[in-house]
Amino acid sequence: MASNITVEDNITVGDLAEKLSLPVTKLITELMKLGVMVTVNERIDFDTAQIIVGELGLDISLEKQSSEEKVVEAKPEHDKNAKTAPRPPVVAVMGHVDHGKTTLLDSIRGIESVKGEAGGITQHLAAYQEEHAGRLITFIDTPGHEAFAALREHGAQLVDLVIIVVAADDGVKPQTLEAIRFAKKSGVKIIVAINKIDKADADINRVKQQLTEAGLALEGWGGEIVAVEVSAKNKVGIDKLLDMVLLLADLEQLEGYVDVPATGLVIESHMETGRGPVAELLVEGGILKQGNFIVAGETYARIKSLETTDGKSVKEASPSTPVRVTGFKALPSFGERFSLSGNEKAARTKAVSESSSRQTGRGQSDINSSELLRLINRSNQISEFNIVVKADVQGSLVSVIDSLKSLNTDEVAIKTVSSGIGTINENDIHLAHGSGAVVYGFNVTVPRNIEQLARRYDTPVRLYKVIYELIDDVKEELNSLLQPIIVEKELGRLKVKGIFKITKAMTICGGEVTKGVIKISSFGRITRGKEQINGEVEITNLKRGPQDVTEVKEGEMCGLSLNSDSKLDLQLEDQIDVFTRETQTRTLY
Ligand code: GDP
């Protein structure tokens, strides 16, 4: 059985060897074999470590040091007695594609769906708040489950409650199961929304049965998870669903710290003409105010404008509130944690020092996994699929890239030549053209002139609005890179009845087909009694009587020419087992 070892990202070669109970020289030699020169103190990242373990053929499975261990508490140590106040629940909606997530969120917001409008002008809101029964609920709208997974990677627990949407006419589907797994793993509260109950073929009981089978213990089915029947389209059951959300929130007694320095997460970021970097933040603790200095990773801001996510200016934001801020010097990354600084100098110093420590970290990680993969590819002939990825916002980009990473196997690997946020531009096409890559756009557009450029270069540009469709397309590409396998298919058997001529490379003989058929251009192996004689032969000519034929059936006599690598040792009564070779394509996923 494989043993488990926990490894932090950016581990030294020496430390990794120790964890693997290997002499460090062995590890270094292995890397050298792959063309990578390292010393004992050089750092490698987690992915690289994993690749090396695979290359060494060790029965050890590496686990990344749990991100939870790295989570920075919204409440610092010295603030144990800090004041708390109730906060709104943070809710995410998940479920299978087309089961009605967008429609549900839209009907909660009381607006008509703008999905599918021409020109892709739908504004992506990472989060927003709605009032219900005089109380606020924060909804997180993400491009897919991966965004949450990505946030967890960054050490964040963003959501208190997940609404899993299942269409009553379609039932539990793969992404429903994924949502269930995700919600369970995160330890968040779950509410099920059985949607599309207005449809004639809606079968609520079947959905409940399937959910129970999938491990969700529903109320009335031996558990406590509430399932609310809704029609997102006809706005039926929405109030009840929101009542349940508030009820669960009350049970959880959700509270946030109000008199600590503000902290939270960057949940989206993009550039806006005239406004520069615009970030959506979710406040976790403290009160964020206009004019505050905040640091998020390697960048900082003096908050110039503080708005609700639908654009209303506000003076401050309390825990669980999503806000849109301007004033960042550079685009902060999705999933980055932000914290308050006293003044501009302190903020700048913190951002600069973070940047240089990350640079060092990056610098120390002398081999990165993609470089290593490239080297291994060369030796193992892994087929690479090059891609350029563009997405509308950082969150989507991280989701897409993280999901694609998980598709890599020993035989095929995705190489992200370049990735970024925004419209597909000339540079993307040039990069893709230069590396034979496909450009994938998620929720972005391609200007007409760029489309023309891509056509001129014969560079494929593919646009998606649904993350799973993008992933499926890449899977198909990877499948097509797989080397086909060759399988032998037994055709028939022949008994040698006459030998006419044997030269070094060719034999002419005659015989009777005792089983199946014999075909021209097929192959044969000769056996005498139980023993195989000679190597393989190819049937290059087949005759029935004087006539050239392509096949001869069981019970018939024939003459045949056999090609072989060396002179055949053929005798009367030998048997030739005849087979063909067929190439079969394979699929990985
Ligand atoms: P998503 O992919 O989960 O976001 O699904 P959408 O919200 O885009 O919905 C997919 C399709 O189902 C759209 O055509 C919706 O109009 C339709 N739909 C969503 N909710 C309902 C519902 O309650 N009843 C019916 N009849 N159709 C619905």
Side-chain angles (χ1 to χ4, degrees):
M1 227 186 83
S3 55
N4 269 328
I5 289 183
T6 312
V7 171
E8 61 271 31
D9 212 356
N10 266 345
I11 187 173
T12 66
V13 172
D15 288 347
L16 180 64
E18 198 181 311
K19 289 209 171 204
L20 298 173
S21 308
L22 280 180
V24 71
T25 46
K26 169 116 177 97
L27 211 59
I28 293 177
T29 320
E30 187 63 28
L31 282 160
M32 272 168 64
K33 272 199 253 159
L34 298 166
V36 184
M37 304 299 159
V38 284
T39 63
V40 59
N41 290 323
E42 275 173 289
R43 290 182 171 273
I44 53 177
D45 60 21
F46 178 80
D47 291 343
T48 308
Q50 240 177 352
I51 293 166
I52 297 169
V53 170
E55 283 297 300
L56 285 167
L58 298 174
D59 197 17
I60 291 177
S61 93
L62 291 189
E63 245 172 57
K64 208 177 205 163
Q65 193 157 62
S66 160
S67 45
E68 275 90 332
E69 289 165 32
K70 289 190 247 159
V71 173
V72 184
E73 281 283 321
K75 178 177 181 259
E77 267 301 301
H78 58 270
D79 279 319
K80 281 229 159 73
N81 299 316
K83 232 169 68 196
T84 58
R87 63 171 177 85
V90 180
V91 180
V93 176
M94 292 182 164
H96 198 71
V97 66
D98 276 348
H99 279 198
K101 298 179 291 294
T102 313
T103 315
L104 181 66
L105 280 164
D106 286 352
S107 73
I108 289 171
R109 294 182 77 197
I111 58 162
E112 283 308 309
S113 174
V114 284
K115 207 178 171 191
E117 268 184 33
I121 52 163
T122 312
Q123 168 106 58
H124 182 90
L125 284 186
Y128 56 85
Q129 286 192 310
E130 267 312 298
E131 207 179 290
H132 179 70
R135 293 167 59 187
L136 286 170
I137 303 173
T138 303
F139 287 93
I140 303 281
D141 188 2
T142 63
H145 309 167
E146 291 84 355
F148 292 102
L151 277 174
R152 279 182 64 79
E153 279 283 301
H154 289 83
Q157 176 76 50
L158 189 66
V159 177
D160 301 306
L161 194 155
V162 167
I163 297 177
I164 297 178
V165 180
V166 195
D169 60 337
D170 202 23
V172 169
K173 291 278 157 206
Q175 285 149 32
T176 323
L177 295 174
E178 198 180 289
I180 294 172
R181 260 199 310 275
F182 173 81
K184 282 189 159 180
K185 203 168 142 203
S186 318
V188 296
K189 291 279 158 199
I190 300 172
I191 294 182
V192 175
I194 301 180
N195 190 29
K196 306 198 187 184
I197 53 163
D198 57 290
K199 290 193 104 170
D201 50 353
D203 188 344
I204 294 163
N205 264 336
R206 184 184 60 146
V207 173
K208 289 187 173 173
Q209 173 80 40
Q210 289 173 337
L211 287 169
T212 311
E213 282 163 13
L216 269 197
L218 297 188
E219 206 180 46
W221 290 65
E224 285 181 347
I225 294 171
V226 175
V228 184
E229 293 158 26
V230 300
S231 165
K233 195 170 150 193
N234 299 341
K235 299 190 171 52
V236 172
I238 308 296
D239 277 346
K240 179 152 184 233
L241 181 67
L242 298 182
D243 285 344
M244 292 321 294
V245 167
L246 289 176
L247 193 70
L248 269 192
D250 287 342
L251 289 176
E252 288 290 292
Q253 294 192 325
L254 300 171
E255 302 217 307
Y257 295 97
V258 283
D259 57 352
V260 298
T263 55
L265 279 173
V266 177
I267 51 175
E268 221 55 285
S269 66
H270 62 275
M271 293 298 279
E272 257 177 47
T273 325
R275 301 222 294 170
V278 177
E280 277 185 33
L281 309 175
L282 183 73
V283 180
E284 282 185 326
I287 310 282
L288 189 67
K289 297 186 175 123
Q290 207 177 342
N292 276 168
F293 287 97
I294 53 169
V295 183
E298 300 174 46
T299 181
Y300 73 97
R302 175 170 197 268
I303 299 180
K304 227 191 287 175
S305 64
L306 188 70
E307 303 163 353
T308 60
T309 48
D310 44 10
K312 286 186 209 89
S313 182
V314 285
K315 290 230 151 41
E316 55 178 47
S318 53
S320 288
T321 309
V323 273
R324 187 174 293 171
V325 306
T326 61
F328 271 103
K329 301 289 169 203
L331 214 55
S333 299
F334 170 75
E336 196 82 72
R337 203 160 264 286
F338 74 82
S339 59
L340 202 70
S341 266
N343 53 48
E344 172 138 25
K345 192 168 168 223
R348 194 187 320 117
T349 311
K350 199 168 162 197
V352 168
S353 109
E354 183 63 28
S355 169
S356 68
S357 86
R358 289 188 190 184
Q359 292 290 349
T360 320
R362 278 181 215 130
Q364 278 175 352
S365 175
D366 275 333
I367 343 155
N368 63 35
S369 52
S370 55
E371 174 68 2
L372 186 63
L373 263 182
R374 195 179 60 73
L375 291 161
I376 295 176
N377 285 352
R378 236 193 264 144
S379 52
N380 288 5
Q381 250 123 53
I382 291 188
S383 305
E384 273 186 350
F385 178 49
N386 290 350
I387 55 168
V388 169
V389 191
K390 292 300 284 280
D392 54 343
V393 285
Q394 186 88 26
S396 321
L397 186 68
V398 173
S399 305
V400 170
I401 290 178
D402 281 0
S403 318
L404 291 179
K405 262 193 210 156
S406 68
L407 300 180
N408 287 338
T409 72
D410 294 346
E411 289 176 88
V412 285
I414 296 156
K415 187 172 165 206
T416 311
V417 176
S418 148
S419 64
I421 304 171
T423 309
I424 292 168
N425 58 34
E426 199 176 328
N427 192 35
D428 298 325
I429 306 298
H430 283 300
L431 277 170
H433 176 62
S435 56
V438 174
V439 182
Y440 284 94
F442 181 70
N443 269 338
V444 294
T445 51
V446 199
R448 188 166 293 266
N449 58 329
I450 303 298
E451 206 179 312
Q452 281 164 352
L453 181 73
R455 218 172 297 133
R456 205 174 321 134
Y457 278 159
D458 219 6
T459 295
V461 175
R462 300 177 192 164
L463 302 180
Y464 291 90
K465 291 212 167 294
V466 179
I467 200 162
Y468 304 102
E469 288 173 6
L470 189 160
I471 306 296
D472 282 348
D473 183 274
V474 175
K475 281 181 183 170
E476 234 171 76
E477 290 286 350
L478 291 179
N479 279 335
S480 73
L481 288 181
L482 285 179
Q483 299 291 336
I485 45 168
I486 311 234
V487 281
E488 284 185 11
K489 204 172 141 206
E490 200 180 298
L491 277 184
R493 183 176 288 163
L494 176 120
K495 191 169 262 182
V496 178
K497 296 282 186 191
I499 297 166
F500 308 113
K501 186 176 172 192
I502 299 188
T503 68
K504 200 167 161 219
M506 210 203 17
T507 300
I508 299 174
C509 63
E512 183 191 348
V513 181
T514 54
K515 188 177 148 195
V517 289
I518 306 286
K519 287 185 181 171
I520 192 156
S521 301
S522 51
F523 304 92
R525 288 193 191 94
I526 301 160
T527 52
R528 190 170 303 150
K530 287 205 165 111
E531 202 187 336
Q532 192 186 320
I533 317 282
N534 307 306
E536 212 176 277
V537 295
E538 186 184 352
I539 301 170
T540 51
N541 195 352
L542 203 53
K543 277 186 166 34
R544 208 171 40 229
Q547 191 113 32
D548 280 338
V549 289
T550 54
E551 66 171 62
V552 185
K553 295 199 180 71
E554 187 174 331
E556 294 175 339
M557 302 292 287
C558 62
L560 55 167
S561 306
L562 305 174
N563 265 12
S564 55
D565 286 341
S566 54
K567 195 168 169 182
L568 284 188
D569 164 26
L570 191 68
Q571 293 179 12
L572 292 179
E573 299 298 308
D574 281 352
Q575 285 197 2
I576 306 180
D577 286 302
V578 180
F579 60 93
T580 53
R581 285 209 172 85
E582 285 177 5
T583 38
Q584 275 184 2
T585 52
R586 290 182 297 148
T587 53
L588 264 181
Y589 308 102

